[in-house]
Amino acid sequence: MPSIEPPAPHRDESSPHVPTSGPGASPKQVNPMTQDRIYMDHVAAAPLLPEVLDAMMPYFREHFGNPSSMHGVGEKAEEALTQARRQVAELIHARSPGEIVFTSCGTESNNFALKGVALAYQNKGRHIVVSSVEHFSIMHAVKTLEKMGFQITHLPVDGTGRVDPDEVDRAITPQTILVSVMHGNNEVGTLQPIAEIGRITRAKGVLLHTDAVATAGVIPVDVEALQADLLSLSANAFYGPKGAAALYIRKGVRIHPLLDGGIQENGRRAGTENVPAIVGMGVAAEIALREMDNRIAWARKLQKRLQEGILERIPHVVLLGHPVDRLPQIVSVLVEYVEGESMLLFLDMENIQIASGSACISRSLKVSHVMLAMGIDAALAQGSLLFSLGKDNTEEQVDRVLEVLPPIVQRLRDMSPLYKKAARTFRSSADAGTAGPDPRRS
């Protein structure tokens, strides 16, 4: 079996201010993480590819026109939008580029999907089903809809964060107009059985939306195979620019615009399009589709090395997420008797950047609703670490993390009264020949 090697790095020799990127860039090469920094928080933000920036630059300067303008400069911008729409449609295997509506971010796409469908179909029914592990842009959107008189059902998940399709089937009523279940979870990496859920919703005449911000451009996504009626995706997840995202809306699905104004995006989203960012999204989508197999193979190799190394070197660690159906770049763990924030700060002092749960809640210091929904004790959930690997990470960087992290954990545990108490329990249990308590469940 041939060894797995990272694809050749992307280079841009003509623009020295643009960092060189590419899967498997060695520590001696200049990459988006700089020579010494180890960046493993790609779910929160991924670096921009040099090719993407190069494609965007002309639309800041010579091709600056408004796509709605009826002259040559505007037509050039419109042509760029058409090309990008085709590239994004190909990434998710949409039947028509016309099914792609550009937005500003994944949060807008999710809000557009839920609120737009709710308003368009409210005369048919006012019941919406979502999972209990959705992104806050879904969870907060349904809270708003609930205040507007819609009924919301939150689906439970198992200990890996997975929804049971039978629960979806049971939750649907004659009043149900929409089911929204994310494709892949950005905190624990679990992939949902969307295709199976899609068969259920399609058979019952209910629309299905899936938040694919964590998966589109990372793993294969096929809207037809998933039987999704609406799908959210964001450029930044696959090395495109921030400020560019999209909502796939299957032909024939009605949706109420959130923004009033012009007729942009076929009358579905008013406002002048962000042409440079959309161009960048299209190029990033094309590159992601071309390099996807190599990126996945490299990510899985690093993922295996990192998670096995953590479990071998640090006792009392719980690996989160589904053991098989999971994103290839995510390693999510709970470190018992230590707070995630403290570990993050110590790792940052070593120039290693990771996360503790979702970036949307990391500064709020709140316990992750995803982990609570998985049945994890609130105290234990405070010790979460989230590594999201990128194509520029290397085996040497993983080894550096495995060198630095264990002594950090031990140092923090040595200061923890909870750990000292647990250690006495472990010793007593060992002396008695019995197992100690399991703190993973509340």
Side-chain angles (χ1 to χ4, degrees), residues 250-267:
R250 183 174 58 82
K251 185 178 180 181
V253 172
R254 291 184 286 118
I255 195 162
H256 191 283
L258 296 187
L259 302 178
D260 295 321
I263 60 170
Q264 290 89 351
E265 295 302 294
N266 198 27

Side-chain angles (χ1 to χ4, degrees), residues 159-214:
T160 69
R162 212 156 192 256
V163 171
D164 182 350
D166 289 340
E167 293 282 356
V168 178
D169 196 8
R170 286 190 288 268
I172 293 174
T173 74
Q175 291 294 309
T176 307
I177 56 174
L178 178 68
V179 172
S180 182
V181 177
M182 69 193 329
H183 190 204
N185 189 271
N186 55 302
E187 289 188 47
V188 298
T190 295
L191 295 172
Q192 300 292 351
I194 299 299
E196 193 172 347
I197 293 171
R199 286 192 291 271
I200 294 169
T201 56
R202 193 65 60 88
K204 294 200 171 188
V206 174
L207 296 178
L208 173 64
H209 166 255
T210 186
D211 174 2
V213 168

Side-chain angles (χ1 to χ4, degrees), residues 106-182:
T107 289
E108 183 191 340
S109 295
N110 284 342
N111 273 266
F112 188 17
L114 267 70
K115 295 173 182 175
V117 166
L119 294 174
Y121 288 86
Q122 59 184 322
N123 291 332
K124 178 182 178 182
R126 299 176 70 86
H127 179 229
I128 297 172
V129 179
V130 300
S131 88
S132 56
V133 294
E134 297 298 307
H135 187 267
F136 274 143
S137 56
I138 297 290
M139 304 299 272
H140 290 174
V142 295
K143 283 183 179 179
T144 298
L145 290 170
E146 201 166 25
K147 293 176 183 176
M148 297 169 60
F150 287 86
Q151 180 188 357
I152 310 299
T153 296
H154 292 85
L155 299 168
V157 295
D158 62 19
T160 69
R162 212 156 192 256
V163 171
D164 182 350
D166 289 340
E167 293 282 356
V168 178
D169 196 8
R170 286 190 288 268
I172 293 174
T173 74
Q175 291 294 309
T176 307
I177 56 174
L178 178 68
V179 172
S180 182
V181 177
M182 69 193 329

Side-chain angles (χ1 to χ4, degrees), residues 33-152:
M33 296 169 285
T34 78
Q35 187 171 352
D36 300 318
R37 182 184 304 149
I38 298 176
Y39 184 80
M40 295 183 177
D41 192 17
H42 290 82
V43 164
L48 194 69
L49 289 178
E51 300 95 321
V52 173
L53 180 60
D54 288 345
M56 293 170 61
M57 291 306 294
Y59 295 90
F60 286 109
R61 297 184 295 227
E62 58 263 35
H63 305 315
F64 57 84
N66 188 320
S68 298
S69 298
M70 301 292 289
H71 50 60
V73 178
E75 288 176 359
K76 188 70 177 179
E78 175 61 26
E79 290 172 3
L81 287 188
T82 300
Q83 170 75 353
R85 209 179 305 277
R86 180 189 62 78
Q87 291 166 318
V88 173
E90 289 178 355
L91 177 67
I92 61 172
H93 297 87
R95 288 185 176 180
S96 168
E99 296 176 313
I100 302 300
V101 175
F102 288 116
T103 66
S104 64
C105 59
T107 289
E108 183 191 340
S109 295
N110 284 342
N111 273 266
F112 188 17
L114 267 70
K115 295 173 182 175
V117 166
L119 294 174
Y121 288 86
Q122 59 184 322
N123 291 332
K124 178 182 178 182
R126 299 176 70 86
H127 179 229
I128 297 172
V129 179
V130 300
S131 88
S132 56
V133 294
E134 297 298 307
H135 187 267
F136 274 143
S137 56
I138 297 290
M139 304 299 272
H140 290 174
V142 295
K143 283 183 179 179
T144 298
L145 290 170
E146 201 166 25
K147 293 176 183 176
M148 297 169 60
F150 287 86
Q151 180 188 357
I152 310 299

Side-chain angles (χ1 to χ4, degrees), residues 30 59 118 121 157 196 307 358 384 391 393:
V30 179
Y59 295 90
Y121 288 86
V157 295
E196 193 172 347
Q307 67 188 28
S358 167
S384 67
K391 63 187 189 60
N393 289 129

Side-chain angles (χ1 to χ4, degrees), residues 24 53 70 127 150 246 257 263 305 309 345 366 386 396 398 438:
L53 180 60
M70 301 292 289
H127 179 229
F150 287 86
I263 60 170
R305 190 183 190 98
L345 293 174
K366 293 181 179 179
L386 172 60
E396 290 80 10
V398 169
D438 182 359

